[in-house]
Amino acid sequence: MNPVLVPTNDVNSEHGILVMWFAEDGAEVEKDELLAEVETSKAVLEVVAPVAGVLLHQAAKGTEVPLAQPIATLFDDAAARDAYVAQQAAAAAAAPASAGPRATVKAVQRAAELGVDLAALGMDRLITVKDVEAAAAVEAPAPADLPGPLVGAPGRQRILIIGAALGATQVLDILAGSTTQQAVAIVDDDTSRWGAEVHGVPVVGGSGRLTELFAAGIFDAAIIAIGRSPAVRAKFRGVCEQAGIPLANAIDPTAKIATDTTLGQGNIICAFCHVATGVKVGDNNFFSAYNSFDHHSVIGDDNATGPSVYTSGKVTIGNRTRFGTGIVIEPDVVIGDDVAVASGAVLTTSVPAEHVVKTKIVTTTVVPLRR
């Protein structure tokens, strides 16, 4: 029996969201096979199998998981897995009623501060501080010395950027040459970024301020500058929709967009991208530099790509897909929802929803140059 842990060196994160399972519960997996993807406030973490075995999920997709605890267990064979499941079920049935919910020490302390009844949360896993604060619908108060948003120039669409990491620098570089749009503020849920500036634009607090700032007329539309996680992009699009906040496109002036392209809102299209005739693009996609989508392709919502992703004509891409770098897709291929494609892949056949496309790792050797 081998635990499957989330690999992380991020000492500031105690928990993350289990965004995706790539291997089904009960599946036989190989050593180093990609099992899951976990999103923290700092990074997207890929979880691989430490050994070969039969998989038992211990956390559900979309739930918050403590990083110090296993998200799954691997067994030598299916019989060992089934025996363990039966043993746990029997132990649970025989155990006396629990004295109370399981929670971290900090969660218990925070619940006392906010008046949250931990038992009322009804969670069958370890409760964290984030669970308590979500239940109380509170956000950490913004420091009094946070900078205010910039004042937009007359006649320009004022943009608020969600996310202050590297994606924000890409969006700001696009907007720097715009005569119709101007970034006036950034929000990020990482409190260590609050009060800082990214290319001269202030980080004015967390995403909890979105509704307040929009109602105050501070900005006209938002752009979600998070390039690595389609799930997080989708989450913030939902937040904006619920608050009635429109999304804006950020399109680099070097991009070539055909005249009969159908383009949704909230898309980031970086330098030297090509969107050909008849292509239909949904909402809230992040296309890195040198992407090319050939004629009459259809692209859904909340997708994220690395540089140099090329599709032939009449390719269909679903929602919340994540592409690496240097990917080629042949004509008429259909990519389902929630698919991840590794860098260097050449796709000649369709990929069903919730699957991952892996490429063979080629070992290279670096030797001194002979003169």
Side-chain angles (χ1 to χ4, degrees):
M1 187 168 69
N2 293 279
V4 178
L5 295 167
V6 180
T8 177
N9 294 320
D10 179 10
V11 296
N12 295 317
S13 295
E14 297 179 352
H15 47 261
I17 301 297
L18 204 164
V19 176
M20 176 75 69
W21 276 112
F22 295 111
E24 295 182 359
D25 195 26
E28 293 186 14
V29 300
E30 299 296 327
K31 184 179 184 298
D32 296 327
E33 182 174 338
L34 180 62
L35 301 181
E37 185 177 89
V38 174
E39 177 88 18
T40 73
S41 61
K42 302 286 188 181
V44 179
L45 306 172
E46 293 185 341
V47 184
V48 300
V51 297
V54 179
L55 185 66
L56 173 65
H57 289 180
Q58 292 184 332
K61 174 183 173 182
T63 60
E64 186 176 59
V65 294
L67 300 184
Q69 296 185 10
I71 63 170
T73 305
L74 288 167
F75 297 85
D76 292 338
D77 51 42
R81 177 189 179 278
D82 293 344
Y84 177 82
V85 171
Q87 180 185 34
Q88 293 297 106
S98 173
R102 296 183 300 120
T104 65
V105 173
K106 290 183 179 180
V108 173
Q109 293 171 346
R110 189 66 170 142
E113 294 170 2
L114 299 175
V116 173
D117 182 0
L118 295 178
L121 299 184
M123 294 183 177
D124 58 357
R125 58 171 175 80
L126 188 69
I127 299 172
T128 66
V129 171
K130 189 173 182 179
D131 296 324
V132 173
E133 292 183 342
V138 301
E139 181 178 344
D145 58 351
L146 275 179
L150 302 178
V151 177
R156 291 193 182 185
Q157 184 185 41
R158 298 166 300 166
I159 301 296
L160 180 139
I161 295 175
I162 300 173
L166 295 180
T169 66
Q170 293 175 274
V171 173
L172 289 170
D173 182 66
I174 293 172
L175 298 183
S178 175
T179 59
T180 59
Q181 294 174 302
Q182 179 184 356
V184 296
I186 302 170
V187 295
D188 194 296
D189 289 334
D190 181 354
T191 57
S192 67
R193 300 182 188 274
W194 293 6
E197 290 186 352
V198 182
H199 290 188
V201 180
V203 182
V204 299
S207 62
R209 298 197 67 195
L210 282 168
T211 302
E212 165 207 341
L213 294 171
F214 186 65
I218 300 299
F219 68 98
D220 304 308
I223 294 175
I224 302 167
I226 298 167
R228 294 189 61 187
S229 175
V232 175
R233 292 189 65 79
K235 180 188 78 171
F236 281 116
R237 181 166 68 94
V239 169
C240 290
E241 285 180 354
Q242 188 172 8
I245 298 171
L247 296 179
N249 291 322
I251 303 175
D252 192 273
T254 63
K256 172 66 170 71
I257 313 293
T259 54
D260 60 347
T261 294
T262 302
L263 190 63
Q265 294 300 313
N267 297 295
I268 299 168
I269 303 179
C270 293
F272 303 105
C273 284
H274 171 233
V275 185
T277 182
V279 172
K280 296 180 180 179
V281 179
D283 298 323
N284 195 36
N285 297 288
F286 193 120
F287 299 145
S288 292
Y290 294 97
N291 279 206
S292 179
F293 304 102
D294 212 348
H295 68 93
H296 301 97
S297 292
V298 177
I299 303 168
D301 304 324
D302 311 311
N303 300 293
T305 76
S308 302
V309 174
Y310 306 108
T311 78
S312 297
K314 299 170 63 179
V315 166
T316 300
I317 297 173
N319 305 308
R320 300 174 303 279
T321 63
R322 183 162 65 89
F323 292 88
T325 299
I327 293 167
V328 177
I329 306 175
E330 291 289 317
D332 301 309
V333 166
V334 177
I335 311 292
D337 295 344
D338 301 299
V339 165
V341 182
S343 296
V346 177
L347 302 182
T348 60
T349 59
S350 296
V351 181
E354 298 192 352
H355 279 66
V356 60
V357 177
K358 298 187 289 185
T359 55
K360 237 180 177 180
I361 298 174
V362 178
T363 301
T364 57
T365 304
V366 180
V367 298
L369 177 64
R370 293 183 179 180
R371 298 185 181 277

